[in-house]
Amino acid sequence: MSQLQHLALHGDAVAYRLSGRGEGETLLLVHGMAGSSATWRAVLPQLARRYRVLAPDLPGHGDSAKPRGDYSLGAFAAWLRDLLHELNIGRVTVIGQSLGGGVAMQFSYQHPELCDRLVLIGSGGLGPDVNWTLRLLAAPGSEFLLPLVAPAVVRDAGNKVRGWLAAVGIHSVRGDEMWNAYSSLSDSDTRQAFLRTLRAVVDHRGQAVSALSRLYLNEGLPTQLIWGDSDGIIPVAHGYAAHEAIPGSRLAVLDGVGHYPHLEDPAAVVEIIEDFVSTTPART
């Protein structure tokens, strides 16, 4: 996968990956909570054969800065707009996974002039249901619990165990991604940014932000939904509900796949995205 590049945006460090064709369609890949641009490692090289692909580390994630600031969906959407401007990139097909799906929907709503198409992969922001772990972490006081649950010593020990398991051929793509998210919380600044991001969209009752009642406003925006039928974080029922609420949308449900279709079945996800982009004219 392409190497991380860096720039300063509004005085804060931004890490991103940019690769592929220098002209034509541009895909903007937006990762999920406690993730980074590395989550696209299984699909980015394939997509870059046909398109220019931009995958940033959102503020508070990966190698980007983790300031004490606004981690709402609206703030992320405005940040993406400014990053595109800084990189002299115009219109994009925005592709978001999990939290990134919520950010992508917000981006398409706030900045429709920049959004050609929308792809949502196991997206947040489409109903209240969410894994109980996230509800627990969103509760008051979890900032005191997390340093005990995710200390550096556990991260280091876990990385050694993963290395041993990999050496004997035991490997789980889904488990690896969940471990990457968990282990990132051993860093204090990342942990604080994670909690601000989580509490902006989730409380003890579940997801607190839903776009379902406003999806009709995206009529005319080509939309592709991709879900795993075994998603244990955000249920596939949200995908079916969104498909019904978005006129003309497409829905692909992948058998036996969980919350990370782009890692668990990357070939299928690349095929779906390429077919969608190549057969669906951009919004005018």
Side-chain angles (χ1 to χ4, degrees), residues 72 80 87 105 118 127 147 150 156 172 217 236 255:
S72 65
L80 289 173
L87 294 173
M105 285 188 285
L118 177 65
D156 295 342
S172 167
L217 296 172
V236 67
D255 293 340

Side-chain angles (χ1 to χ4, degrees), residues 116-117 222 276-277 279-283:
D116 283 337
R117 302 175 193 83
F276 173 62
V277 174
T279 62
T280 309
R283 176 171 57 181

Side-chain angles (χ1 to χ4, degrees), residues 16 27 29 41 53 97 119 140 155 169 203 234:
Y16 65 97
L27 309 182
L29 309 183
R41 57 191 175 274
V53 183
Q97 188 264 337
V119 180
R155 176 202 61 201
D203 61 24
I234 301 175

Side-chain angles (χ1 to χ4, degrees), residues 219-240:
E219 185 173 7
L221 175 64
T223 301
Q224 172 74 63
L225 302 152
I226 303 173
W227 232 276
D229 69 351
S230 300
D231 193 329
I233 305 296
I234 301 175
V236 67
H238 289 202
Y240 287 112

